[in-house]
Amino acid sequence: MDGTLAIAANNLTSPIILFFILGVAAAFARSDLSIPEAIAKGLSIYLLFAIGFKGGVSVADHGIDTTLVLSLLAGMVLSFLLPVLAFALLRGMTRLSTIDAAAVAGHYGSISIVTFVAATSVATSAGLNPEGYMVAVAAVMEAPAILSALWIVARFGKQSADMEEGLIREILLNGSIVLLVGAFVIGWITGDEGMQMIAPFIQAPFQGVLCLFLLDMGLIAGRGLREARSVLTPGLFAFGVIMPVLGAGFGLGTGMLLGLSPGGVLLFMTLAASASYIAVPAAMRVALPEANPSIYLTLSLGITFPFNLTLGIPIYLAVANALAGG
Amino acid sequence: MDGTLAIAANNLTSPIILFFILGVAAAFARSDLSIPEAIAKGLSIYLLFAIGFKGGVSVADHGIDTTLVLSLLAGMVLSFLLPVLAFALLRGMTRLSTIDAAAVAGHYGSISIVTFVAATSVATSAGLNPEGYMVAVAAVMEAPAILSALWIVARFGKQSADMEEGLIREILLNGSIVLLVGAFVIGWITGDEGMQMIAPFIQAPFQGVLCLFLLDMGLIAGRGLREARSVLTPGLFAFGVIMPVLGAGFGLGTGMLLGLSPGGVLLFMTLAASASYIAVPAAMRVALPEANPSIYLTLSLGITFPFNLTLGIPIYLAVANALAGG
Amino acid sequence: MDGTLAIAANNLTSPIILFFILGVAAAFARSDLSIPEAIAKGLSIYLLFAIGFKGGVSVADHGIDTTLVLSLLAGMVLSFLLPVLAFALLRGMTRLSTIDAAAVAGHYGSISIVTFVAATSVATSAGLNPEGYMVAVAAVMEAPAILSALWIVARFGKQSADMEEGLIREILLNGSIVLLVGAFVIGWITGDEGMQMIAPFIQAPFQGVLCLFLLDMGLIAGRGLREARSVLTPGLFAFGVIMPVLGAGFGLGTGMLLGLSPGGVLLFMTLAASASYIAVPAAMRVALPEANPSIYLTLSLGITFPFNLTLGIPIYLAVANALAGG
Amino acid sequence: MQTHKAKRVDIIIEAVMEKRLTNALHKAEVTGYTVLPVLAGSGRSGQWTREGEIGRAGGMVNVSCIVRPERVDPLLDAAFAVVERHIGVVSVVDCEVLRAERF
Amino acid sequence: MQTHKAKRVDIIIEAVMEKRLTNALHKAEVTGYTVLPVLAGSGRSGQWTREGEIGRAGGMVNVSCIVRPERVDPLLDAAFAVVERHIGVVSVVDCEVLRAERF
Amino acid sequence: MQTHKAKRVDIIIEAVMEKRLTNALHKAEVTGYTVLPVLAGSGRSGQWTREGEIGRAGGMVNVSCIVRPERVDPLLDAAFAVVERHIGVVSVVDCEVLRAERF
Ligand SMILES: Nc1ncnc2c1ncn2[C@@H]1O[C@H](COP(=O)(O)O)[C@@H](O)[C@H]1O
Ligand SMILES: Nc1ncnc2c1ncn2[C@@H]1O[C@H](COP(=O)(O)O)[C@@H](O)[C@H]1O
Ligand SMILES: Nc1ncnc2c1ncn2[C@@H]1O[C@H](COP(=O)(O)O)[C@@H](O)[C@H]1O
Ligand code: NA
Ligand code: NA
Ligand code: NA
């Protein structure tokens, strides 16, 4: 486990993490440092474009694994089930109302793509070579958790969720999913030839862009934490740390059952451990307007995201290496 | 002609085209995928900056061809005359009013810089080395067509165009022209030394940026097509495909008369074949507000642009190679 | 001094300067060329991120010089004192009111980070290797001049400046300073290892991004000059050229006293010579709303910035080389 | 210059609800409206700002509709059905318009 | 607090016409106005949105002028001459202002 | 639909002063407001535009507050204290609102 500590220490002093911390610190100090909204969206488009494409090219290179379809299915099932676990945990550990607990639960079944990207970086520097289609698994895990959360409200809540027809289409076709899957498919079709054309755009500058993006995430997370201190009870805080670890456990089991490589297992753990902060919040505003956004945003962006980024991923890596490796 | 098919097929599966198609598909599926306006403008500034500069450096390298001035003149004349052809065709093939037909005609005399960029890419991958000053030809072809369109309205229409003094200055000094020509001149002045300084910015990532830009164009074209289906009669559709081919024919003749290299001929064909979707629509909103923008935008961006991108350019390349090549 | 002329000529035809001139020309010709606000902010975030990080890595490489702390202190003192000189000069040379003169003076004690970046470029091409911590000196010189200006008003003016508690915190924690210092510290911590990760993002494309940024600066400076011609008396114009030269003299003395390398002396001269156009104007709008912004913005951005960029820096380089070199 | 009485209704609503609101307006035959961006705000649910946002979950927009006075009630009914469970503000101002035939 | 009667005129117009409108306002000696960005809209000429736009051909802006009541007519005349052949909307609201000397 | 009388106060102010204004509003217990971005403007201090701006020194914003009529005076006092030495415009319009309990 010595290696783990080294990796964790190394991870903590990588520019990526340090720029996140800079963002949080600037927000706490009430600096007016900010990334314009259009630039932040541009950075996120770049990241989705790049990782989708790389994933597709990697599938083109290594051929389709027989486990691809199974992994997609497993991801979907996890995304459906994790919210139930999260909901049970929240009802036990906190005093959130049904609506708030269901809304939070939905976030933890879904995924955070930046956490996924960070884990991919760590995997690559650790010499692992995760299955390229994990990007597609990430995409299919975005949405099912939302339906789960709405089902929980319908089942346990007094109020009903606003499940109009438009919503499901909107969730499935949300911009991030379409771009990620689209870039993945294009990478798959064009393979190495396509990669050669655009590699200088999506590979060399990638880590630098990621630093800027994490600076922005730090600013947002910091501002959120500063303003939502009041909602953050010890119970909620504990949930924000325990739930990702439990999720990672389920991801571990699934990844090992599927027989993925250590890198793939690490990514599955990370997906299960991470919580959405874009797609699910937007859906919750529409379908569960009564749920308090500062609770779910603070938990997802202010607690679980930094936890995974700093401590979670190195731990998941150590475990994946120990159990799925060599 | 076997080579042509191969090039066409190759072209159709290049990431550039595929991202355009992704954009169109996302728009048709009503996904909320979108590129922020500021980012889209930023991408277009990057493209103009890069191709202007590259063109200038190439002129610095190869010296001024004696045909440079003749090419500029020829481009201007083409831009003036093509709208007349387009107008005649539209009056024959469609039932557009004089105003609408004149407005559309103006678009086809002018040019689309992205189509030009795409053709340059194809030329380079086909081993051709087009004259660098074709960028300057592109710049001089932007504006004359607008005057042509207004002259057609004055000549054939009942209503008069709003030809105030400000307009011409505005057209000639519009941002795209100034940036393109400015970067061209700077590239010319600084030559290879300048190129060495900024090559990593304008060369390596170029194709990747172009992919993102075409994704955005696909989104806009797709949204336009979806909303303007009603205006798109078979006659208009046919015009949107026939006119570029005719234009390319004129470009071919001009390029061969000037004795350009096959690459130069290809670009001349492409310029003549392409239709404006930025400068001319803006001018038409000012000078011919009664013309229906959904007609000219749908034709230019929804029909002619994709046609040139996918089928047109490979055809023009085959023809340029066959007639102007070795 | 032959070398100086060559450097000056070379500098004048570098793409960076030429794009600045393009911007000014486009603004004077009333072209509608413009860089979206979000993109301009994005470019400036990129530059701060990159130079901060590079400075930090260079400190990590070369170890902390014993003069680091002294340089920071000296920078602070200069920033406090230069406004007093500027104010005296303005009262002698122009008829500005106390308030206007104090506001202008504040700008000249502070610094322009783009001028600093341009000087760094010139230093590097001249084979110099300035101390990495000069970035930190730049950061500490931003704010003191503002306090100086407010003190001048309180001392010589009838009206008092609006020195509420919030202002100082706001100045010290303004986004540019936080990003610059933050990136510097992160570069220092992560050193060469960090640099290797993000070098393709912050090194190779740097000069190209700088060209775009200077195009934007040219557009803004040109627009400002066009609109503020009326305020620009000969006395003010002379001040805008003399003050940076005097400032550079103080920078030279300080740099030589500190025993900096020729590159470090050049940068100290440049910092002292340059005038703020972001942090100080914002602070002046808050604290001295009666001061006329077109005076200080026109001087700083329209006169002193172009002067330093084109003539100043090559002169400072020649002097630094002659006096501090070999 | 000849002007005509009309009402201007401003609806401040979450960006995620914009499409639903404009669909409801179209259904109520209110086909003229303008959407203004909103930078930041404060209300009973706290303060927010658009800076650095990545998703659409947080932002709001301002939808302005100018209608003939007799069309205000159907408009408000349609708008209210959408904003009812949501945060946001609906206000109505008397105004006069040129070119009344357009409304 | 002492307030003074004034009128607020809002003109929603294509972005390409903005300069022409503000020039006309200056000619009519209306030198105070504020331009607000517009994100999307719908009217007789259909729906549009600013997302992903590259050119200036499609967007609109909202130009607001606050004027003393007696200055409304020259303002409307000037504005009307510009918008006449164009799409867009002109509306007028009664308001009160602080610091009347500024208008 | 049941509406209630209210006032809408629009304050156009430099972006650097926004935080100070909203702090003053909070102190005056005006906790509901919406900030709209401003693209360009013209006034006694000349013309300006947001295009290509890098810093925050130049831009302006529009802060809109809807309040019950009896709350207008404290609001204007608070706003005036902030804008007093600064450029900018304050205007008040009569309006009606839905869901009066929110104000
Ligand atoms: N009194 C008000 N005046 C103007 N805007 C308001 C007001 N109250 C709320 N808003 C806007 O509506 C949003 C949601 O308000 P609320 O539902 O009170 O949280 C706020 O963020 C503001 O943008
Ligand atoms: N009734 C209305 N209320 C508010 N804005 C409108 C209205 N009608 C038109 N607009 C705006 O003016 C633009 C052009 O309208 P039109 O000329 O009707 O196509 C639309 O896209 C809207 O932004
Ligand atoms: N009469 C007016 N109507 C609307 N906006 C105005 C008016 N006067 C000034 N403004 C706005 O307030 C800013 C500052 O105005 P001023 O203090 O007159 O320079 C201008 O740039 C405009 O954005
Ligand atoms: Na998860
Ligand atoms: Na053409
Ligand atoms: Na200075």
Side-chain angles (χ1 to χ4, degrees), chain B residues 34-35 37 41 160 162 164 170 216-217 220 223 277-278 281-282 285-286 289-290, chain E residues 14 16-17 19-20 47-58 85-87:
Chain B
S34 75
I35 313 276
E37 186 186 6
K41 277 195 189 154
S160 80
D162 198 352
E164 13 122 15
E170 209 174 285
D216 187 46
M217 301 265 307
I220 300 173
R223 212 181 306 138
Y277 59 90
I278 300 186
R285 284 317 291 156
V286 173
E290 294 83 5
Chain E
E14 290 161 284
V16 283
M17 299 300 294
K19 195 93 216 123
R20 286 169 177 80
Q47 269 179 280
W48 65 273
T49 162
R50 185 167 281 283
E51 275 173 357
E53 294 234 338
I54 327 170
R56 300 169 314 140
R85 289 174 60 198
H86 288 266
I87 64 171

Side-chain angles (χ1 to χ4, degrees), chain C residues 79 82 106-112 141 243 247 269-276:
Chain C
S79 177
L82 286 173
H107 288 71
Y108 282 83
S110 184
I111 59 118
S112 143
M141 288 181 72
M243 182 62 208
M269 295 175 76
T270 304
L271 287 174
S274 72
S276 169

Side-chain angles (χ1 to χ4, degrees), chain E residues 3-103:
Chain E
T3 61
H4 309 265
K5 288 208 175 311
K7 299 265 187 182
R8 171 174 168 157
V9 181
D10 276 280
I11 306 162
I12 298 172
I13 193 170
E14 290 161 284
V16 283
M17 299 300 294
E18 177 189 332
K19 195 93 216 123
R20 286 169 177 80
L21 175 62
T22 55
N23 285 347
L25 293 178
H26 277 282
K27 257 183 217 148
E29 281 165 32
V30 178
T31 53
Y33 55 81
T34 296
V35 185
L36 303 180
V38 173
L39 217 52
S42 167
R44 299 189 313 164
S45 56
Q47 269 179 280
W48 65 273
T49 162
R50 185 167 281 283
E51 275 173 357
E53 294 234 338
I54 327 170
R56 300 169 314 140
M60 306 197 78
V61 294
N62 182 333
V63 179
S64 289
C65 320
I66 298 172
V67 289
R68 273 175 284 129
E70 64 272 23
R71 306 270 316 129
V72 164
D73 262 335
L75 195 174
L76 289 183
D77 289 336
F80 188 68
V82 176
V83 301
E84 195 176 1
R85 289 174 60 198
H86 288 266
I87 64 171
V89 169
V90 181
S91 63
V92 187
V93 174
D94 288 317
C95 68
E96 315 234 2
V97 291
L98 297 188
R99 313 200 276 190
E101 70 285 3
R102 304 200 148 216
F103 295 90

Side-chain angles (χ1 to χ4, degrees), chain A residues 34-35 37 40-41 44 160 162 164 167 170 213 216-217 220 223 227 277-278 281-282 285-287 289-290, chain D residues 14 16-17 19-20 27 38-39 45 47-59 82 85-87:
Chain A
S34 75
I35 313 275
E37 188 188 5
K41 277 195 189 154
S44 114
S160 80
D162 200 350
E164 13 122 16
L167 185 61
E170 210 173 286
F213 191 75
D216 186 48
M217 300 265 308
I220 300 173
R223 212 181 306 140
E227 268 156 32
Y277 59 90
I278 300 185
R285 286 315 292 154
V286 173
E290 293 83 4
Chain D
E14 291 162 283
V16 283
M17 298 300 295
K19 195 90 214 125
R20 284 169 179 80
K27 257 183 217 149
V38 173
L39 218 51
S45 55
Q47 269 180 279
W48 64 273
T49 161
R50 185 167 284 282
E51 274 173 357
E53 294 234 338
I54 329 168
R56 300 168 313 140
V82 176
R85 290 173 61 198
H86 289 266
I87 65 173

Side-chain angles (χ1 to χ4, degrees), chain A residues 83 87 90-91 96-107 145-146 148-154 280 284 288 291 296:
Chain A
F87 183 73
L90 284 164
R91 296 314 294 254
L96 291 190
S97 68
T98 311
I99 295 267
D100 281 334
V104 170
H107 289 70
I146 299 171
S148 239
L150 302 187
W151 174 81
I152 291 172
V153 171
V280 182
M284 290 303 143
L288 295 179
Y296 49 71

Side-chain angles (χ1 to χ4, degrees), chain A residues 82 107-111 271-275:
Chain A
L82 286 172
H107 289 70
Y108 283 82
S110 184
I111 59 117
L271 288 174
S274 72

Side-chain angles (χ1 to χ4, degrees), chain A residues 204-237:
Chain A
F206 190 82
Q207 299 288 334
V209 175
L210 189 56
C211 285
L212 269 190
F213 191 75
L214 279 170
L215 173 63
D216 186 48
M217 300 265 308
L219 288 165
I220 300 173
R223 212 181 306 140
L225 276 174
R226 209 185 65 205
E227 268 156 32
R229 264 163 311 184
S230 54
V231 305
L232 211 62
T233 61
L236 273 179
F237 187 95

